[in-house]
Coordinates of all heavy atoms in Angstrom, one line a residue:
M17 N 3.5 10.0 -5.9 CA 4.5 8.9 -5.5 C 4.7 8.9 -4.0 O 4.9 9.9 -3.4 CB 5.8 9.2 -6.3 CG 6.8 8.1 -6.0 SD 8.4 8.3 -6.8 CE 7.9 7.6 -8.4
S18 N 4.7 7.7 -3.5 CA 4.9 7.5 -2.0 C 6.3 7.5 -1.7 O 7.2 7.0 -2.4 CB 4.2 6.3 -1.6 OG 4.4 6.0 -0.3
N19 N 6.7 7.9 -0.5 CA 8.0 7.8 0.1 C 8.2 6.5 0.9 O 9.2 6.3 1.5 CB 8.4 9.0 0.9 CG 8.6 10.3 0.1 OD1 8.9 10.2 -1.1 ND2 8.3 11.4 0.7
V20 N 7.2 5.7 0.9 CA 7.2 4.5 1.7 C 7.5 3.3 0.8 O 6.9 3.2 -0.3 CB 5.9 4.2 2.4 CG1 5.9 2.9 3.2 CG2 5.5 5.4 3.3
A21 N 8.5 2.5 1.1 CA 8.8 1.3 0.3 C 7.7 0.3 0.4 O 7.1 0.1 1.4 CB 10.1 0.7 0.8
T22 N 7.5 -0.4 -0.7 CA 6.6 -1.6 -0.8 C 7.2 -2.7 0.1 O 8.3 -3.1 0.0 CB 6.5 -2.1 -2.2 OG1 6.0 -1.0 -3.0 CG2 5.5 -3.2 -2.3
P23 N 6.4 -3.2 1.1 CA 6.9 -4.2 2.0 C 7.2 -5.5 1.2 O 6.6 -5.8 0.2 CB 5.7 -4.4 2.9 CG 4.6 -3.6 2.5 CD 5.0 -2.8 1.3
G24 N 8.2 -6.2 1.7 CA 8.6 -7.5 1.2 C 7.7 -8.6 1.6 O 6.8 -8.3 2.4
P25 N 7.9 -9.8 1.3 CA 9.1 -10.2 0.4 C 8.9 -9.9 -1.0 O 7.7 -9.8 -1.5 CB 9.1 -11.7 0.7 CG 7.7 -12.1 1.0 CD 7.1 -10.9 1.7
W26 N 10.0 -9.7 -1.7 CA 10.0 -9.5 -3.1 C 10.6 -10.7 -3.8 O 11.5 -11.3 -3.2 CB 10.8 -8.3 -3.5 CG 10.3 -6.9 -3.0 CD1 9.1 -6.7 -2.4 CD2 10.9 -5.7 -3.1 NE1 9.0 -5.4 -2.1 CE2 10.1 -4.7 -2.5 CE3 12.1 -5.3 -3.6 CZ2 10.4 -3.4 -2.4 CZ3 12.5 -3.9 -3.5 CH2 11.6 -3.0 -2.9
T27 N 10.2 -11.1 -5.0 CA 10.8 -12.2 -5.7 C 11.1 -11.7 -7.1 O 10.5 -10.8 -7.7 CB 9.9 -13.4 -5.7 OG1 8.6 -13.0 -6.2 CG2 9.7 -14.0 -4.3
A28 N 12.0 -12.4 -7.7 CA 12.4 -12.1 -9.1 C 12.0 -13.3 -10.0 O 12.1 -14.5 -9.5 CB 13.9 -11.9 -9.2
S29 N 11.6 -13.1 -11.2 CA 11.3 -14.2 -12.1 C 11.7 -13.8 -13.5 O 11.7 -12.6 -13.9 CB 9.9 -14.6 -12.0 OG 9.0 -13.5 -12.4
L30 N 12.0 -14.8 -14.3 CA 12.4 -14.6 -15.7 C 11.1 -14.5 -16.6 O 10.2 -15.3 -16.4 CB 13.2 -15.7 -16.2 CG 13.7 -15.7 -17.7 CD1 14.6 -14.5 -17.9 CD2 14.4 -17.0 -18.1
H31 N 11.0 -13.5 -17.5 CA 9.9 -13.3 -18.4 C 10.4 -13.3 -19.8 O 11.5 -12.7 -20.1 CB 9.1 -12.0 -18.1 CG 8.3 -12.1 -16.9 ND1 7.0 -12.5 -16.9 CD2 8.6 -12.0 -15.6 CE1 6.5 -12.5 -15.7 NE2 7.5 -12.2 -14.8
S32 N 9.7 -14.0 -20.7 CA 10.1 -14.0 -22.1 C 8.9 -13.6 -22.9 O 8.2 -14.4 -23.5 CB 10.5 -15.4 -22.5 OG 11.6 -15.9 -21.7
E33 N 8.7 -12.3 -23.0 CA 7.5 -11.8 -23.8 C 7.8 -11.8 -25.3 O 6.9 -12.0 -26.1 CB 7.2 -10.4 -23.3 CG 6.6 -10.4 -21.9 CD 6.3 -9.0 -21.4 OE1 6.5 -8.0 -22.2 OE2 5.9 -8.9 -20.2
Y34 N 9.1 -11.6 -25.6 CA 9.4 -11.5 -27.0 C 10.6 -12.5 -27.2 O 11.5 -12.6 -26.4 CB 9.9 -10.1 -27.4 CG 8.8 -9.1 -27.0 CD1 9.0 -8.3 -25.9 CD2 7.7 -8.9 -27.8 CE1 8.0 -7.3 -25.6 CE2 6.7 -8.0 -27.5 CZ 6.9 -7.2 -26.4 OH 5.9 -6.3 -26.1
P35 N 10.6 -13.2 -28.4 CA 11.7 -14.1 -28.6 C 13.1 -13.4 -28.6 O 13.2 -12.4 -29.2 CB 11.4 -14.6 -30.1 CG 9.9 -14.4 -30.2 CD 9.6 -13.2 -29.4
G36 N 14.0 -14.0 -27.8 CA 15.3 -13.5 -27.7 C 15.5 -12.3 -26.8 O 16.6 -11.7 -26.8
R37 N 14.4 -11.9 -26.2 CA 14.5 -10.7 -25.3 C 14.0 -11.0 -23.9 O 12.9 -10.5 -23.5 CB 13.7 -9.5 -25.9 CG 14.2 -9.1 -27.2 CD 13.6 -7.8 -27.8 NE 13.9 -6.8 -26.8 CZ 13.2 -5.6 -26.8 NH1 12.2 -5.4 -27.6 NH2 13.5 -4.7 -26.0
D38 N 14.7 -11.8 -23.2 CA 14.3 -12.2 -21.8 C 14.6 -11.0 -20.9 O 15.6 -10.3 -21.1 CB 15.1 -13.4 -21.4 CG 14.7 -14.7 -22.1 OD1 13.6 -14.7 -22.7 OD2 15.5 -15.6 -22.1
H39 N 13.8 -10.9 -19.9 CA 14.1 -9.9 -18.8 C 13.6 -10.4 -17.5 O 12.7 -11.3 -17.5 CB 13.5 -8.5 -19.2 CG 12.0 -8.6 -19.3 ND1 11.2 -8.1 -18.3 CD2 11.2 -9.0 -20.3 CE1 9.9 -8.3 -18.6 NE2 9.9 -8.8 -19.8
E40 N 14.1 -9.9 -16.4 CA 13.6 -10.2 -15.1 C 12.6 -9.2 -14.6 O 12.8 -8.0 -14.8 CB 14.8 -10.4 -14.1 CG 15.6 -11.7 -14.3 CD 16.4 -11.8 -15.5 OE1 17.1 -10.9 -15.9 OE2 16.3 -12.8 -16.2
V41 N 11.6 -9.7 -13.8 CA 10.7 -8.8 -13.2 C 10.7 -9.1 -11.7 O 10.7 -10.3 -11.3 CB 9.2 -9.1 -13.7 CG1 8.2 -8.3 -13.0 CG2 9.2 -8.8 -15.2
V42 N 10.8 -8.0 -10.9 CA 10.7 -8.2 -9.5 C 9.4 -7.7 -9.0 O 8.9 -6.7 -9.4 CB 11.8 -7.3 -8.8 CG1 11.7 -7.4 -7.3 CG2 13.2 -7.7 -9.3
Q43 N 8.7 -8.6 -8.2 CA 7.4 -8.4 -7.7 C 7.3 -8.5 -6.2 O 8.0 -9.3 -5.6 CB 6.4 -9.3 -8.4 CG 6.3 -9.2 -9.9 CD 5.3 -10.3 -10.4 OE1 4.9 -11.2 -9.8 NE2 5.0 -10.1 -11.7
A44 N 6.3 -7.8 -5.6 CA 6.1 -7.9 -4.2 C 5.1 -9.1 -4.0 O 3.9 -8.9 -3.8 CB 5.5 -6.6 -3.6
V45 N 5.7 -10.3 -4.0 CA 4.9 -11.5 -3.7 C 5.9 -12.6 -3.2 O 7.0 -12.7 -3.7 CB 4.2 -12.0 -5.0 CG1 5.1 -12.3 -6.1 CG2 3.3 -13.2 -4.8
P46 N 5.5 -13.4 -2.2 CA 6.4 -14.5 -1.7 C 6.6 -15.5 -2.8 O 5.7 -15.8 -3.7 CB 5.6 -15.1 -0.6 CG 4.7 -14.0 -0.1 CD 4.3 -13.2 -1.4
L47 N 7.8 -16.1 -2.9 CA 8.2 -17.0 -3.9 C 7.2 -18.2 -4.0 O 6.8 -18.6 -5.1 CB 9.6 -17.6 -3.6 CG 10.1 -18.6 -4.7 CD1 10.2 -18.0 -6.1 CD2 11.5 -19.0 -4.3
E48 N 6.8 -18.8 -2.9 CA 5.8 -19.9 -2.9 C 4.5 -19.5 -3.6 O 3.9 -20.3 -4.4 CB 5.6 -20.5 -1.5 CG 6.8 -21.2 -1.0 CD 7.3 -22.3 -1.9 OE1 6.5 -23.1 -2.5 OE2 8.6 -22.3 -2.2
E49 N 4.1 -18.3 -3.3 CA 2.8 -17.8 -4.0 C 3.0 -17.6 -5.4 O 2.2 -17.8 -6.3 CB 2.3 -16.6 -3.3 CG 1.8 -16.8 -1.9 CD 1.3 -15.6 -1.2 OE1 0.9 -14.6 -1.9 OE2 1.3 -15.6 0.1
Q50 N 4.2 -17.1 -5.8 CA 4.6 -16.8 -7.2 C 4.6 -18.1 -8.0 O 4.1 -18.2 -9.1 CB 5.9 -16.1 -7.3 CG 6.2 -15.7 -8.7 CD 7.6 -15.1 -8.8 OE1 8.6 -15.7 -8.4 NE2 7.7 -13.9 -9.3
K51 N 5.1 -19.2 -7.4 CA 5.2 -20.5 -8.0 C 3.8 -21.0 -8.3 O 3.6 -21.8 -9.2 CB 5.9 -21.5 -7.1 CG 7.4 -21.3 -7.1 CD 8.1 -22.3 -6.2 CE 9.6 -22.1 -6.2 NZ 10.2 -23.1 -5.4
Q52 N 2.8 -20.6 -7.5 CA 1.4 -21.0 -7.7 C 0.6 -20.1 -8.6 O -0.6 -20.2 -8.8 CB 0.7 -21.1 -6.4 CG 1.3 -22.2 -5.5 CD 0.7 -22.2 -4.1 OE1 -0.1 -21.4 -3.7 NE2 1.2 -23.1 -3.3
G53 N 1.3 -19.1 -9.2 CA 0.7 -18.2 -10.2 C 0.3 -16.9 -9.7 O -0.2 -16.1 -10.4
A54 N 0.6 -16.6 -8.4 CA 0.2 -15.3 -7.9 C 1.1 -14.2 -8.5 O 2.2 -14.4 -8.8 CB 0.4 -15.3 -6.4
V55 N 0.5 -13.0 -8.7 CA 1.2 -11.9 -9.2 C 1.1 -10.8 -8.2 O 0.0 -10.5 -7.7 CB 0.6 -11.4 -10.6 CG1 1.3 -10.2 -11.1 CG2 0.7 -12.6 -11.6
G56 N 2.2 -10.2 -7.9 CA 2.3 -9.1 -6.9 C 2.5 -7.7 -7.6 O 2.6 -7.7 -8.8
E57 N 2.6 -6.7 -6.8 CA 2.9 -5.4 -7.3 C 4.2 -5.4 -8.0 O 5.2 -5.9 -7.5 CB 2.9 -4.4 -6.2 CG 3.3 -3.0 -6.6 CD 3.4 -2.0 -5.5 OE1 2.9 -2.3 -4.4 OE2 3.9 -0.9 -5.7
S58 N 4.3 -4.9 -9.2 CA 5.6 -4.8 -9.9 C 6.5 -3.8 -9.3 O 6.2 -2.6 -9.1 CB 5.4 -4.5 -11.4 OG 6.6 -4.4 -12.1
I59 N 7.7 -4.2 -8.9 CA 8.7 -3.4 -8.3 C 9.7 -2.9 -9.3 O 10.1 -1.7 -9.3 CB 9.5 -4.1 -7.2 CG1 8.5 -4.7 -6.1 CG2 10.6 -3.3 -6.5 CD1 7.7 -3.6 -5.4
A60 N 10.2 -3.8 -10.2 CA 11.2 -3.4 -11.2 C 11.2 -4.4 -12.4 O 10.8 -5.6 -12.2 CB 12.6 -3.4 -10.6
D61 N 11.5 -3.9 -13.5 CA 11.7 -4.7 -14.7 C 13.1 -4.4 -15.2 O 13.5 -3.3 -15.6 CB 10.7 -4.2 -15.8 CG 10.7 -5.1 -17.0 OD1 11.6 -5.9 -17.2 OD2 9.7 -4.9 -17.8
V62 N 14.0 -5.4 -15.0 CA 15.4 -5.2 -15.2 C 16.0 -6.2 -16.1 O 15.5 -7.3 -16.4 CB 16.2 -5.3 -13.8 CG1 15.7 -4.2 -12.9 CG2 16.0 -6.6 -13.1
S63 N 17.2 -5.9 -16.6 CA 18.0 -6.8 -17.4 C 19.1 -7.5 -16.5 O 19.8 -6.8 -15.8 CB 18.7 -6.0 -18.5 OG 19.5 -6.8 -19.2
G64 N 19.1 -8.8 -16.5 CA 20.1 -9.5 -15.8 C 19.6 -10.1 -14.5 O 19.0 -9.4 -13.7
A65 N 19.9 -11.4 -14.3 CA 19.5 -12.1 -13.1 C 20.2 -11.5 -11.9 O 19.5 -11.5 -10.8 CB 19.9 -13.6 -13.3
G66 N 21.4 -11.1 -12.0 CA 22.1 -10.5 -10.8 C 21.4 -9.2 -10.3 O 21.2 -9.0 -9.1
N67 N 21.0 -8.4 -11.2 CA 20.3 -7.1 -10.9 C 18.9 -7.5 -10.2 O 18.6 -6.9 -9.2 CB 20.0 -6.2 -12.1 CG 21.3 -5.7 -12.6 OD1 22.3 -5.5 -11.9 ND2 21.3 -5.4 -13.9
A68 N 18.2 -8.4 -10.8 CA 16.9 -8.8 -10.3 C 17.0 -9.4 -8.9 O 16.3 -9.1 -8.0 CB 16.2 -9.8 -11.2
A69 N 18.0 -10.3 -8.7 CA 18.2 -10.9 -7.4 C 18.6 -9.9 -6.3 O 18.0 -9.9 -5.2 CB 19.3 -12.0 -7.4
L70 N 19.4 -8.9 -6.6 CA 19.8 -7.9 -5.7 C 18.6 -7.0 -5.3 O 18.4 -6.7 -4.1 CB 20.9 -7.0 -6.2 CG 21.5 -6.0 -5.3 CD1 22.1 -6.6 -4.0 CD2 22.6 -5.2 -6.0
I71 N 17.8 -6.6 -6.3 CA 16.6 -5.8 -6.0 C 15.6 -6.6 -5.2 O 15.0 -6.1 -4.2 CB 16.0 -5.3 -7.3 CG1 17.0 -4.3 -8.0 CG2 14.6 -4.6 -7.1 CD1 16.6 -3.9 -9.4
A72 N 15.4 -7.9 -5.5 CA 14.4 -8.7 -4.8 C 14.8 -8.9 -3.4 O 14.0 -9.0 -2.5 CB 14.2 -10.0 -5.5
A73 N 16.1 -8.9 -3.1 CA 16.6 -9.1 -1.7 C 16.6 -7.8 -0.9 O 16.8 -7.8 0.3 CB 18.1 -9.6 -1.8
A74 N 16.3 -6.6 -1.5 CA 16.4 -5.4 -0.8 C 15.7 -5.3 0.5 O 16.2 -4.8 1.5 CB 16.0 -4.2 -1.7
P75 N 14.4 -5.7 0.6 CA 13.7 -5.6 1.9 C 14.4 -6.4 3.0 O 14.5 -6.0 4.1 CB 12.3 -6.2 1.6 CG 12.1 -6.0 0.2 CD 13.5 -6.2 -0.4
D76 N 14.9 -7.6 2.7 CA 15.6 -8.5 3.7 C 16.9 -7.9 4.0 O 17.4 -7.9 5.2 CB 15.7 -9.9 3.2 CG 14.4 -10.6 3.1 OD1 13.5 -10.2 3.9 OD2 14.2 -11.5 2.3
L77 N 17.6 -7.3 3.0 CA 18.9 -6.7 3.3 C 18.8 -5.5 4.2 O 19.5 -5.3 5.2 CB 19.6 -6.3 2.0 CG 20.1 -7.4 1.1 CD1 20.5 -6.9 -0.3 CD2 21.3 -8.1 1.8
R78 N 17.7 -4.7 4.0 CA 17.5 -3.5 4.8 C 17.2 -3.9 6.2 O 17.7 -3.3 7.2 CB 16.3 -2.7 4.2 CG 16.0 -1.4 4.9 CD 14.9 -0.7 4.3 NE 14.8 0.7 4.8 CZ 14.1 1.0 5.9 NH1 13.5 0.1 6.6 NH2 14.1 2.3 6.2
K79 N 16.3 -5.0 6.4 CA 15.9 -5.4 7.7 C 17.1 -5.9 8.5 O 17.3 -5.6 9.7 CB 14.9 -6.5 7.6 CG 14.3 -7.0 8.9 CD 13.2 -8.0 8.7 CE 12.7 -8.5 10.1 NZ 11.6 -9.5 9.9
A80 N 18.0 -6.8 7.8 CA 19.2 -7.3 8.5 C 20.2 -6.2 8.9 O 20.7 -6.2 10.0 CB 19.8 -8.3 7.6
L81 N 20.4 -5.3 8.0 CA 21.3 -4.2 8.2 C 20.8 -3.3 9.4 O 21.6 -2.9 10.3 CB 21.5 -3.3 7.0 CG 22.5 -2.2 7.1 CD1 23.9 -2.7 7.5 CD2 22.6 -1.4 5.8
S82 N 19.5 -3.1 9.4 CA 18.9 -2.3 10.5 C 19.1 -3.0 11.9 O 19.4 -2.3 12.9 CB 17.4 -2.1 10.2 OG 16.8 -1.4 11.3
L83 N 18.9 -4.3 11.9 CA 19.1 -5.0 13.2 C 20.6 -4.9 13.6 O 20.8 -4.7 14.8 CB 18.8 -6.5 13.0 CG 17.3 -6.9 13.0 CD1 17.1 -8.3 12.6 CD2 16.7 -6.6 14.3
L84 N 21.5 -5.1 12.7 CA 22.9 -5.0 13.1 C 23.3 -3.6 13.5 O 24.1 -3.5 14.5 CB 23.8 -5.5 11.9 CG 23.6 -7.0 11.5 CD1 24.4 -7.3 10.3 CD2 24.1 -7.9 12.7
V85 N 22.9 -2.6 12.8 CA 23.2 -1.3 13.2 C 22.6 -0.9 14.5 O 23.3 -0.3 15.4 CB 22.8 -0.3 12.1 CG1 22.8 1.2 12.6 CG2 23.6 -0.4 10.8
G86 N 21.4 -1.4 14.8 CA 20.8 -1.2 16.1 C 21.5 -1.8 17.2 O 21.7 -1.2 18.3
M87 N 22.1 -3.0 17.0 CA 22.8 -3.7 18.0 C 24.1 -2.9 18.3 O 24.5 -2.6 19.5 CB 23.2 -5.1 17.6 CG 22.0 -6.0 17.5 SD 22.5 -7.6 16.8 CE 23.3 -8.3 18.3
I88 N 24.8 -2.4 17.3 CA 26.0 -1.7 17.4 C 25.7 -0.3 18.1 O 26.5 0.1 19.0 CB 26.7 -1.5 16.1 CG1 27.2 -2.9 15.6 CG2 27.9 -0.5 16.2 CD1 27.7 -2.9 14.2
D89 N 24.7 0.3 17.7 CA 24.3 1.6 18.3 C 24.0 1.5 19.8 O 24.2 2.4 20.6 CB 23.1 2.3 17.6 CG 23.5 2.9 16.3 OD1 24.7 3.0 16.0 OD2 22.5 3.2 15.5
N90 N 23.5 0.3 20.2 CA 23.2 0.1 21.6 C 24.4 -0.5 22.4 O 24.2 -0.9 23.5 CB 22.0 -0.9 21.7 CG 20.7 -0.3 21.3 OD1 20.5 0.9 21.5 ND2 19.8 -1.1 20.7
G91 N 25.5 -0.5 21.8 CA 26.8 -0.9 22.4 C 26.9 -2.4 22.5 O 27.7 -2.9 23.3
T92 N 26.2 -3.1 21.7 CA 26.3 -4.6 21.7 C 26.7 -5.1 20.3 O 25.8 -5.3 19.5 CB 24.9 -5.2 22.1 OG1 24.4 -4.6 23.2 CG2 25.0 -6.7 22.3
P93 N 28.0 -5.2 20.1 CA 28.4 -5.7 18.8 C 27.8 -7.1 18.5 O 27.8 -7.9 19.5 CB 29.9 -5.7 18.8 CG 30.3 -5.0 20.0 CD 29.1 -4.9 20.9
P94 N 27.4 -7.4 17.3 CA 26.8 -8.7 17.1 C 27.9 -9.8 17.2 O 29.0 -9.7 16.7 CB 26.3 -8.6 15.7 CG 26.9 -7.5 15.1 CD 27.3 -6.6 16.2
H95 N 27.5 -10.9 17.8 CA 28.3 -12.1 17.9 C 28.1 -12.9 16.6 O 27.0 -12.9 16.0 CB 27.9 -12.9 19.1 CG 28.8 -14.1 19.3 ND1 28.6 -15.3 18.7 CD2 29.9 -14.3 20.1 CE1 29.6 -16.2 19.1 NE2 30.4 -15.5 20.0
P96 N 29.2 -13.6 16.1 CA 29.0 -14.3 14.8 C 27.8 -15.3 14.9 O 27.3 -15.7 13.8 CB 30.3 -15.1 14.7 CG 31.3 -14.2 15.4 CD 30.5 -13.6 16.5
L97 N 27.4 -15.8 16.0 CA 26.3 -16.8 16.1 C 25.0 -16.1 16.5 O 24.0 -16.8 16.7 CB 26.7 -17.9 17.2 CG 27.9 -18.7 16.9 CD1 28.2 -19.7 18.0 CD2 27.8 -19.4 15.6
D98 N 24.9 -14.8 16.5 CA 23.7 -14.1 16.9 C 22.7 -14.3 15.7 O 23.0 -14.3 14.6 CB 24.0 -12.6 17.0 CG 22.9 -11.8 17.6 OD1 21.9 -11.6 16.9 OD2 23.0 -11.4 18.8
P99 N 21.4 -14.5 16.1 CA 20.4 -14.6 15.1 C 20.4 -13.5 14.0 O 20.0 -13.7 12.9 CB 19.1 -14.6 15.8 CG 19.5 -15.1 17.2 CD 20.9 -14.6 17.4
A100 N 20.7 -12.3 14.4 CA 20.8 -11.1 13.5 C 21.8 -11.4 12.4 O 21.7 -11.0 11.3 CB 21.1 -9.8 14.2
M101 N 22.9 -12.1 12.8 CA 23.9 -12.4 11.8 C 23.4 -13.5 10.8 O 23.7 -13.5 9.6 CB 25.2 -12.9 12.5 CG 26.0 -11.8 13.2 SD 26.6 -10.5 12.1 CE 27.8 -11.4 11.2
D102 N 22.6 -14.4 11.4 CA 22.0 -15.4 10.5 C 21.1 -14.8 9.5 O 21.0 -15.1 8.3 CB 21.2 -16.5 11.3 CG 22.1 -17.3 12.2 OD1 23.3 -17.5 11.9 OD2 21.6 -17.9 13.2
Q103 N 20.3 -13.8 9.9 CA 19.4 -13.1 9.1 C 20.2 -12.3 8.0 O 19.8 -12.3 6.8 CB 18.6 -12.1 9.9 CG 17.2 -11.9 9.4 CD 16.4 -11.0 10.3 OE1 16.7 -10.8 11.5 NE2 15.3 -10.6 9.9
A104 N 21.3 -11.7 8.4 CA 22.1 -11.0 7.4 C 22.7 -12.0 6.4 O 22.7 -11.7 5.2 CB 23.3 -10.3 8.1
R105 N 23.2 -13.1 6.8 CA 23.8 -14.1 5.9 C 22.7 -14.6 4.9 O 22.9 -14.8 3.7 CB 24.3 -15.3 6.7 CG 25.6 -15.0 7.4 CD 26.2 -16.2 8.1 NE 27.3 -15.8 8.9 CZ 27.2 -15.6 10.2 NH1 26.1 -15.8 10.9 NH2 28.3 -15.3 10.9
A106 N 21.5 -14.8 5.4 CA 20.4 -15.3 4.6 C 20.0 -14.2 3.5 O 19.8 -14.5 2.3 CB 19.2 -15.7 5.4
A107 N 20.0 -13.0 3.9 CA 19.7 -11.9 3.0 C 20.8 -11.7 1.9 O 20.5 -11.5 0.8 CB 19.5 -10.6 3.8
L108 N 22.0 -11.9 2.3 CA 23.1 -11.8 1.3 C 23.0 -13.0 0.4 O 23.2 -12.8 -0.8 CB 24.5 -11.9 2.0 CG 24.8 -10.6 2.7 CD1 26.1 -10.8 3.6 CD2 25.0 -9.4 1.7
A109 N 22.7 -14.2 0.9 CA 22.5 -15.3 0.0 C 21.4 -15.1 -1.0 O 21.5 -15.5 -2.2 CB 22.3 -16.6 0.8
Q110 N 20.3 -14.5 -0.5 CA 19.1 -14.2 -1.4 C 19.5 -13.2 -2.5 O 18.9 -13.3 -3.6 CB 18.0 -13.7 -0.6 CG 16.8 -13.4 -1.4 CD 15.7 -12.6 -0.6 OE1 15.8 -12.5 0.6 NE2 14.7 -12.2 -1.3
S111 N 20.5 -12.4 -2.3 CA 20.8 -11.4 -3.2 C 21.7 -11.9 -4.4 O 22.0 -11.2 -5.4 CB 21.6 -10.2 -2.6 OG 22.9 -10.6 -2.2
E112 N 22.1 -13.2 -4.3 CA 22.9 -13.8 -5.3 C 21.9 -14.3 -6.5 O 20.9 -14.8 -6.2 CB 23.7 -15.0 -4.8 CG 24.7 -14.6 -3.8 CD 25.8 -13.8 -4.4 OE1 26.2 -14.0 -5.6 OE2 26.3 -12.8 -3.8
P113 N 22.4 -14.1 -7.7 CA 21.5 -14.5 -8.8 C 21.3 -16.1 -8.8 O 22.2 -16.8 -8.5 CB 22.2 -14.1 -10.1 CG 23.6 -13.8 -9.7 CD 23.6 -13.5 -8.2
E114 N 20.1 -16.5 -9.2 CA 19.8 -17.9 -9.3 C 19.4 -18.2 -10.8 O 19.2 -17.3 -11.5 CB 18.7 -18.3 -8.4 CG 18.9 -18.1 -6.9 CD 17.7 -18.4 -6.1 OE1 16.7 -18.9 -6.6 OE2 17.8 -18.1 -4.9
D115 N 19.4 -19.5 -11.0 CA 18.9 -19.9 -12.4 C 17.4 -19.9 -12.3 O 16.7 -20.7 -11.7 CB 19.4 -21.3 -12.7 CG 19.0 -21.8 -14.0 OD1 18.3 -21.0 -14.8 OD2 19.3 -22.9 -14.4
F116 N 16.7 -18.9 -13.0 CA 15.3 -18.8 -12.9 C 14.6 -19.9 -13.6 O 13.4 -20.1 -13.4 CB 14.9 -17.5 -13.6 CG 15.3 -16.3 -12.8 CD1 16.1 -15.3 -13.4 CD2 14.9 -16.1 -11.5 CE1 16.5 -14.2 -12.6 CE2 15.3 -15.0 -10.7 CZ 16.1 -14.0 -11.3
E117 N 15.3 -20.7 -14.4 CA 14.7 -21.9 -15.1 C 14.3 -22.9 -14.0 O 13.4 -23.7 -14.3 CB 15.7 -22.5 -16.0 CG 16.2 -21.6 -17.1 CD 15.1 -21.1 -18.0 OE1 14.2 -21.9 -18.4 OE2 15.1 -19.9 -18.4
D118 N 14.9 -22.9 -12.8 CA 14.6 -23.9 -11.8 C 13.3 -23.5 -11.0 O 12.9 -24.2 -10.1 CB 15.8 -24.1 -10.8 CG 16.9 -24.7 -11.5 OD1 16.7 -25.4 -12.5 OD2 18.1 -24.6 -11.0
R119 N 12.8 -22.3 -11.2 CA 11.7 -21.8 -10.4 C 10.4 -22.3 -11.0 O 9.8 -22.4 -11.8 CB 11.7 -20.3 -10.3 CG 12.9 -19.9 -9.5 CD 12.8 -18.4 -9.2 NE 13.8 -18.1 -8.3 CZ 13.9 -17.0 -7.7 NH1 13.0 -16.0 -7.9 NH2 14.8 -16.7 -6.8

C-alpha cells in the first residue's frame, strides 16, 4: 500500500447494481470525462451522497487548505478577495452533495 494519495480530480457518481441498493462510487477521473463514460481508479464505495461528495472534494480541499496555511505561515493572511480564498470556496462548494440524477 502506498503512502501517496491518488491525485485528483475525483468525482462521485450514483451506482445501482442491485434493485433498492444504490451506492455512490468515488473515482479518480474528471467529471467531464466521467460523463463520457471514462472510468478512473476507484477511491471509495460509500453510502450517501454527502459522504461521496466530501470524499470526492478531498484533493481540492487539501490544495486550498495548503495554500491558505502557506499564506498565513509566510505572514500574509489571506484577503477575502484573494484567489486562494476563491479556490477554498470552490472546494467547499464541491464538497456539498448533489443530485446524481442530474449527472
Side-chain angles (χ1 to χ4, degrees):
M17 178 180 280
S18 173
N19 288 333
V20 178
T22 301
W26 296 351
T27 54
S29 60
L30 178 66
H31 286 264
S32 300
E33 293 176 2
Y34 305 103
R37 297 190 63 199
D38 293 343
H39 63 101
E40 279 71 46
V41 174
V42 178
Q43 298 177 347
V45 61
L47 181 58
E48 288 307 313
E49 291 179 26
Q50 186 185 55
K51 286 180 179 180
Q52 296 172 359
V55 176
E57 177 184 346
S58 181
I59 303 298
D61 186 346
V62 298
S63 175
N67 293 332
L70 185 58
I71 292 168
D76 291 333
L77 290 167
R78 184 178 192 274
K79 184 177 179 181
L81 183 58
S82 179
L83 283 172
L84 294 173
V85 168
M87 291 175 76
I88 292 167
D89 285 350
N90 289 326
T92 310
H95 185 275
L97 300 178
D98 191 287
M101 290 297 292
D102 292 338
Q103 213 172 347
R105 288 183 189 97
L108 286 171
Q110 181 189 351
S111 72
E112 293 296 321
E114 297 178 7
D115 183 1
F116 293 121
E117 301 298 320
D118 293 338
R119 292 188 172 192

